[in-house]
Amino acid sequence: MCDQTIMSPGTLARLVCEWPDLSLGDIVHIVQYDAIEGYLVRTTTHLEEIWLPVHVLSNYNRKPWSFRFRKPSFPSHGRRSVDGNSLQENVINEVSCPEFLDKMKNLAAQCGSKVVFKCKVKSCGGNMKISWRKTEPDPCVMRSSGRFVLNRSNGVASLTINNSRLSDSGSYLCTISNEIGSTQCSAILTVTDSLPPLTEPKANVISCSSVLLEWENDTYDKFLVEYCKIGSGEWLSPNNGQAITARAYTVEHLTAGETYSFRIVAAHNKLVGLPSAAVTLPVADSIRWQQEQFKRRYIELEEIGRGRFAIVRKAKDRGTGQEVALKEIIRRKQSHKITQAEYALLAGIRFQNIIHALALFENAPIPGVDTIVLELVKGALLFDYICEKEMYTELEIKNYSKQVISAVNWLHDQNLAHLDIKPENIMVDLSGVDPILKLIDFGDCVNTNTSVILPPACLEFASPELVLGQPVGQHTDLWAVGVLLYVLLSGVSPFLDDSVEETTANILKCDYCFPDEYFSDISLAVRDLIQKLLVLVPIKRISMGDCLDSSWFKEVRTKDVGISATNLQTFMQRRHPANLTSKTSTFCTD
């Protein structure tokens, strides 16, 4: 589960575990908090702000979780320490925002020469940290080792590269930070041999998905072609790195509507040429047709949900007047292939407790966004619906749980796993006589014939194998259902503790209990069922089919004691602090 203390915008946070393109201990800036998506952060390795789950971040002022022995304390008057990554100086004085007095400049050098990047740093006090990174090509953290030397002296931070090589060419970034904030400066290093550098290629758009590159060079005889989608920071090869001898090449299979830059690399010494001017590809006729069809058919109304990869809007069919939900998925966050698979799954499902898909529009309403048209659930999240009452009963929870377990059991019978079962992905349809639960958001749903490793989207409902980065599958759903039952019956979380580290430890030890304060009137049968679901060894967890055959669903209790909704209300307020007073119905996705 996410830490109870919400970090405000501007706060420095530290990564407490590895994350794609980031490392344990990296410092990021909090830009925005969202109860479902986590934190929007600014990092030194991304050209744009990115979302990170709450469980991977810890306040920078807190001691990071580590298995190292505690270091002895130092005198309060100050300390200077040096490691391979950065230079730190702790001095008790007035702390101000970091600032460069002189920024480093672009450099050019011959192979074998010494290169020194320098930047003058204003003394800002506090726990100041200076770090260096090579951002492209081949991004990496710079450390003092071998040919590389990091230094700081008399307010000047420097990066020295001895015996420079052609592969050292690229962009370098220097970051200074303290408790107040951080700032960065960058410069480009061009290392050449005795041969002249490569010029930028001329890029000519020839279709909505292809660009013709042409360049002049009489020095080299073989070339590599690379392209980069603006904003990604990643240079890719269009032909799997095969060298060509021609002075022209057509790059195909690009995305219409996107903006690209191109460059040429000398094959024999990997000398990188200058990038071309950015070109934006036109929208294809087929894409324009999709967009026109979308606009002709649907009137987009208000936003009703937001998740990690998508925004959900309410809409009305112009022809039939039917209200639907539009799940608009951003391609750079979730691949088109996954979106197609999600739609194919939901379109083929005819199970009353699983949401049904009606249509898929590609690159609509705008390029780079795919839209799945879904049935509109006219109701709220299940937990919000229960929290509107003062009391509810175990019998009600049994009826709700049977619907959820039936939906998951249907998926498992199809050799599928949901992999993201949590309160935000269970809605209740109130349009009929009886409430009907709907399981939503199948972005993580995969075929369990393949071992898949996923990062935990929400630590509170994550199984031990998900926390450890091990393969997940149907057994992952079983654990999440156990946590769900526990929370529904008590209003409290079985593994939540004072910190992310302690919560993680509780999950990995399966350390939980049934306090009398919450479970004294709850039947022993459902407690036994929860114990069979919350098992450390995945293969020993009870299946969904066996859950439906358990004594809890078969027993008839003569006394159905009420459960106060207060604890569950507190649980939801903690997960969604921005919606403490909101009672509006919503379609929510993650």
Side-chain angles (χ1 to χ4, degrees):
M1 168 55 204
C2 316
D3 201 337
Q4 286 181 287
T5 303
I6 298 173
M7 292 180 281
S8 58
T11 302
L12 286 176
R14 184 193 300 271
L15 265 75
V16 297
C17 64
E18 297 288 341
W19 193 256
D21 296 330
L22 296 173
S23 302
L24 176 67
D26 278 359
I27 305 300
V28 299
H29 291 261
I30 302 298
V31 177
Q32 180 185 339
Y33 168 77
D34 183 88
I36 297 177
E37 296 188 15
Y39 287 108
L40 182 64
V41 302
R42 186 179 301 113
T43 76
T44 60
T45 57
H46 290 74
L47 297 178
E48 58 183 349
E49 295 166 345
I50 63 171
W51 287 98
L52 292 178
V54 178
H55 76 273
V56 308
L57 295 176
S58 177
N59 193 294
Y60 179 64
N61 293 324
R62 290 171 49 185
K63 179 182 176 182
W65 189 32
S66 172
F67 290 105
R68 295 174 292 186
F69 291 104
R70 179 173 299 176
K71 297 180 180 179
S73 59
F74 290 86
S76 60
H77 63 270
R79 177 188 63 164
R80 183 174 177 82
S81 64
V82 178
D83 62 21
N85 291 325
S86 62
L87 302 165
Q88 295 183 339
E89 185 172 40
N90 299 328
V91 181
I92 300 178
N93 55 13
E94 183 177 354
V95 181
S96 61
C97 190
E99 182 180 347
F100 288 103
L101 297 178
D102 288 314
K103 296 184 177 181
M104 58 179 177
K105 298 176 174 57
N106 294 340
L107 299 175
Q110 293 287 324
C111 282
S113 62
K114 181 169 76 171
V115 176
V116 182
F117 282 114
K118 290 183 180 180
C119 47
K120 192 171 183 180
V121 180
K122 179 182 177 181
S123 178
C124 56
N127 185 21
M128 187 163 66
K129 180 178 180 179
I130 301 178
S131 61
W132 293 82
R133 286 179 180 266
K134 185 180 182 184
T135 56
E136 68 170 21
D138 305 320
C140 64
V141 176
M142 305 303 298
R143 295 182 171 87
S144 286
S145 63
R147 300 183 299 113
F148 305 98
V149 179
L150 307 184
N151 190 30
R152 178 183 171 194
S153 178
N154 299 324
V156 176
S158 65
L159 165 63
T160 301
I161 304 175
N162 294 301
N163 189 22
S164 61
R165 302 171 182 171
L166 294 174
S167 59
D168 293 330
S169 296
S171 297
Y172 290 80
L173 180 74
C174 179
T175 302
I176 58 173
S177 62
N178 64 7
E179 297 86 346
I180 303 300
S182 70
T183 187
Q184 301 174 336
C185 69
S186 62
I188 297 174
L189 170 63
T190 303
V191 181
T192 62
D193 54 14
S194 57
L195 298 174
L198 285 162
T199 58
E200 63 185 76
K202 181 181 179 181
N204 300 298
V205 177
I206 58 176
S207 77
C208 62
S209 62
S210 58
V211 172
L212 172 63
L213 302 180
E214 296 177 307
W215 63 95
E216 296 180 1
N217 192 285
D218 296 326
T219 306
Y220 304 99
D221 56 358
K222 290 186 178 181
F223 307 90
L224 302 173
V225 177
E226 294 182 339
Y227 70 94
C228 175
K229 184 167 68 174
I230 300 301
S232 70
E234 184 179 10
W235 288 91
L236 304 172
S237 170
N239 62 351
N240 297 320
Q242 294 181 4
I244 61 174
T245 57
R247 269 62 173 175
Y249 184 84
T250 300
V251 181
E252 299 177 323
H253 307 300
L254 300 172
T255 303
E258 293 287 357
T259 302
Y260 294 90
S261 182
F262 306 86
R263 70 185 184 188
I264 307 302
V265 180
H268 88 280
N269 60 8
K270 299 299 185 291
L271 177 64
V272 178
L274 296 173
S276 72
V279 294
T280 301
L281 299 181
V283 176
D285 291 339
S286 60
I287 294 177
R288 187 177 294 110
W289 182 86
Q290 289 261 350
Q291 294 172 354
E292 290 174 353
Q293 291 297 311
F294 179 87
K295 292 177 181 178
R296 286 196 189 104
R297 183 164 183 179
Y298 296 108
I299 303 173
E300 291 192 69
L301 304 175
E302 70 271 16
E303 178 181 321
I304 55 176
R306 185 175 287 262
R308 285 176 295 159
F309 310 130
I311 297 173
V312 180
R313 303 183 192 277
K314 185 178 179 180
K316 179 181 287 188
D317 190 309
R318 295 178 187 270
T320 65
Q322 178 187 9
E323 290 185 332
V324 296
L326 304 176
K327 184 176 181 181
E328 299 178 350
I329 304 163
I330 304 169
R331 282 196 175 192
R332 63 182 174 84
K333 293 186 177 181
Q334 176 173 294
S335 72
H336 176 56
K337 183 177 180 180
I338 294 178
T339 301
Q340 284 182 313
E342 181 179 358
Y343 166 71
L345 171 67
L346 296 180
I349 288 178
R350 292 293 187 274
F351 192 82
Q352 70 168 357
N353 298 121
I354 298 177
I355 198 163
H356 178 62
L358 306 173
L360 171 65
F361 288 86
E362 300 177 358
N363 280 298
I366 60 175
V369 173
D370 297 319
T371 299
I372 299 178
V373 183
L374 300 162
E375 62 172 311
L376 181 68
V377 180
K378 296 182 178 179
L381 294 175
L382 172 63
F383 277 50
D384 288 340
Y385 172 67
I386 297 174
C387 287
E388 292 177 357
K389 310 174 184 180
E390 291 185 1
M391 301 286 292
Y392 59 97
T393 67
E394 182 178 328
L395 179 59
E396 290 180 75
I397 300 304
K398 182 186 296 186
N399 292 334
Y400 299 146
S401 301
K402 187 172 184 178
Q403 294 187 57
V404 173
I405 293 174
S406 295
V408 179
N409 185 56
W410 186 92
L411 285 174
H412 289 186
D413 285 344
Q414 312 305 311
N415 202 28
L416 298 165
H418 187 278
L419 300 180
D420 196 15
I421 295 173
K422 58 185 179 183
E424 290 76 15
N425 287 337
I426 304 172
M427 297 195 68
V428 54
D429 189 343
L430 302 173
S431 60
V433 177
D434 298 317
I436 297 179
L437 269 57
K438 297 282 187 179
L439 195 58
I440 66 172
D441 192 356
F442 286 74
D444 287 338
C445 185
V446 297
N447 190 307
T448 52
N449 284 327
T450 303
S451 295
V452 176
I453 297 175
L454 295 172
C458 181
L459 182 60
E460 196 166 358
F461 286 79
S463 63
E465 62 271 14
L466 199 57
V467 172
L468 292 172
Q470 297 173 349
V472 296
Q474 295 178 0
H475 51 273
T476 308
D477 289 343
L478 307 180
W479 178 281
V481 169
V483 176
L484 192 75
L485 285 176
Y486 189 104
V487 175
L488 282 169
L489 292 165
S490 64
V492 296
S493 182
F495 302 107
L496 183 68
D497 216 317
D498 293 334
S499 69
V500 171
E501 297 85 1
E502 291 172 301
T503 300
T504 301
N506 291 340
I507 293 172
L508 296 179
K509 294 185 294 185
C510 197
D511 185 7
Y512 74 99
C513 60
F514 297 101
D516 289 340
E517 179 183 358
Y518 307 112
F519 286 91
S520 59
D521 295 322
I522 302 301
S523 67
L524 293 176
V526 69
R527 282 186 263 179
D528 177 66
L529 180 58
I530 292 172
Q531 287 178 319
K532 291 179 179 178
L533 288 165
L534 299 181
V535 179
L536 281 177
V537 182
I539 60 173
K540 292 185 178 181
R541 294 170 197 160
I542 187 173
S543 70
M544 292 289 92
D546 289 339
C547 283
L548 294 172
D549 292 333
S550 68
S551 60
W552 185 49
F553 287 109
K554 294 180 179 179
E555 71 175 3
V556 178
R557 298 190 71 183
T558 56
K559 181 181 179 183
D560 194 20
V561 179
I563 304 170
S564 172
T566 302
N567 291 331
L568 199 60
Q569 291 166 358
T570 302
F571 173 88
M572 290 303 291
Q573 287 172 0
R574 173 173 53 78
R575 290 177 70 86
H576 303 280
N579 301 321
L580 300 186
T581 59
S582 175
K583 295 293 182 181
T584 59
S585 298
T586 170
F587 181 110
C588 184
T589 183
D590 186 23

